[in-house]
Amino acid sequence: MSPMNKTFDVKRLPDLLSPDRQRKDLARRRQSAVWRGEKPDHFPICFSTGLTEEQEHIPDANFKEAFYSKELMLCSQLRAACAVPNARSDAVPSIRSNLGTGILLACIGLEQTVYDDKMPWLHEHLTRKDIAKLEPADINIQGSFARGIDQMRFFKDINFGHVPGRKHDHPFEQDLELCRQTGTVYFGNWPKYEEETDRQYVRRLPKWAARGCLIPQVGCEWGE
């Protein structure tokens, strides 16, 4: 069902995602034990399954429709999230504003190309001269990054604000990537240190990648 069915009320979504709280907490404990290097009671096995007949009525948007609509993005994410507790595995359902791995670059004015049938992708990159001119004041919450924060606030209001007992659940952060990946997206290719002669550039790129990861997050109040 795509695009949004005008008869579908997104406020119904919390009722359609009804994981067994005890089973979910068990899955969290098992996953946490593995990440801490501890031995869980059983090694976590994570998978999902299909939707119930009622969940199939959640609108199924394509990538482009979801990118520009907070309602359709939430529906798209909830379809995937609902399939997780249906399987009763050790996976934990989660949702995010899924706007692509180049989303951080919107904070300096670079926007991704948005497609119907695949995830957004950044085709614009900064030159070395562009990177050399960057200052912290050049990083701002704007463009599609701001859209993502607006979507996440909407998720929180719709999916968690109306359900008793879910006050500790929050949308997962946008796909911000790590410093190295962010630097690769800035320039289009991470420099090979042993082949790079511009040492100032080599020193500056990781610093700017770190700033690009951290500064936008400091400016986000949606999770408070």
Side-chain angles (χ1 to χ4, degrees):
M1 187 183 302
S2 175
M4 191 69 158
N5 186 336
K6 293 182 180 179
T7 64
F8 186 86
D9 183 0
V10 292
K11 292 182 179 179
R12 291 179 52 206
L13 290 172
D15 297 326
L16 297 177
L17 175 64
S18 302
D20 181 323
R21 176 64 63 173
Q22 290 184 337
R23 186 67 186 80
K24 182 176 169 183
D25 289 343
L26 175 61
R28 280 176 167 165
R29 289 196 300 273
R30 286 175 174 171
Q31 288 194 37
S32 297
V34 171
W35 286 111
R36 290 194 298 262
E38 301 169 358
K39 184 178 180 180
D41 63 327
H42 291 283
F43 196 83
I45 299 177
C46 303
F47 57 90
S48 61
T49 187
L51 301 177
T52 66
E53 182 177 353
E54 189 174 14
Q55 290 167 346
E56 284 287 1
H57 288 90
I58 301 173
D60 187 11
N62 66 37
F63 290 103
K64 193 169 189 176
E65 290 168 339
F67 190 94
Y68 293 109
S69 167
K70 56 190 178 184
E71 292 86 3
L72 285 175
M73 180 63 79
L74 179 58
C75 288
S76 175
Q77 291 291 294
L78 258 294
R79 284 180 67 91
C82 284
V84 173
N86 289 354
R88 297 187 65 79
S89 75
D90 295 314
V92 176
S94 63
I95 62 172
R96 75 182 340 160
S97 175
N98 197 28
L99 300 181
T101 58
I103 191 66
L104 268 175
L105 278 297
C107 295
I108 58 171
L110 300 183
E111 289 288 351
Q112 302 171 103
T113 301
V114 184
Y115 302 94
D116 291 326
D117 58 346
K118 58 185 176 182
M119 287 294 293
W121 191 252
L122 191 76
H123 294 286
E124 298 181 82
H125 303 288
L126 298 180
T127 66
R128 296 186 182 209
K129 290 183 178 180
D130 293 332
I131 294 173
K133 294 177 182 177
L134 283 173
E135 298 295 339
D138 296 324
I139 303 178
N140 299 289
I141 305 298
Q142 60 184 333
S144 54
F145 190 89
R147 176 185 292 112
I149 294 177
D150 181 60
Q151 288 185 354
M152 294 161 81
R153 289 194 180 106
F154 178 73
F155 294 0
K156 186 178 177 183
D157 290 342
I158 294 296
N159 204 45
F160 305 105
H162 300 84
V163 182
R166 289 194 186 169
K167 64 180 180 179
H168 298 301
D169 289 350
H170 297 285
F172 198 68
E173 65 184 12
Q174 299 184 74
D175 201 346
L176 303 182
E177 297 297 301
L178 300 175
C179 292
R180 183 183 177 92
Q181 287 87 341
T182 298
T184 301
V185 177
Y186 268 132
F187 186 60
N189 188 26
W190 190 266
K192 294 182 179 179
Y193 291 103
E194 67 275 13
E195 299 176 7
E196 181 58 57
T197 57
D198 188 345
R199 308 313 297 175
Q200 182 177 2
Y201 167 70
V202 169
R203 290 192 297 269
R204 190 172 181 85
L205 183 57
K207 182 187 297 184
W208 265 104
R211 285 177 175 174
C213 286
L214 294 174
I215 293 178
Q217 297 186 67
V218 171
C220 300
E221 315 93 0
W222 64 268
E224 292 182 354

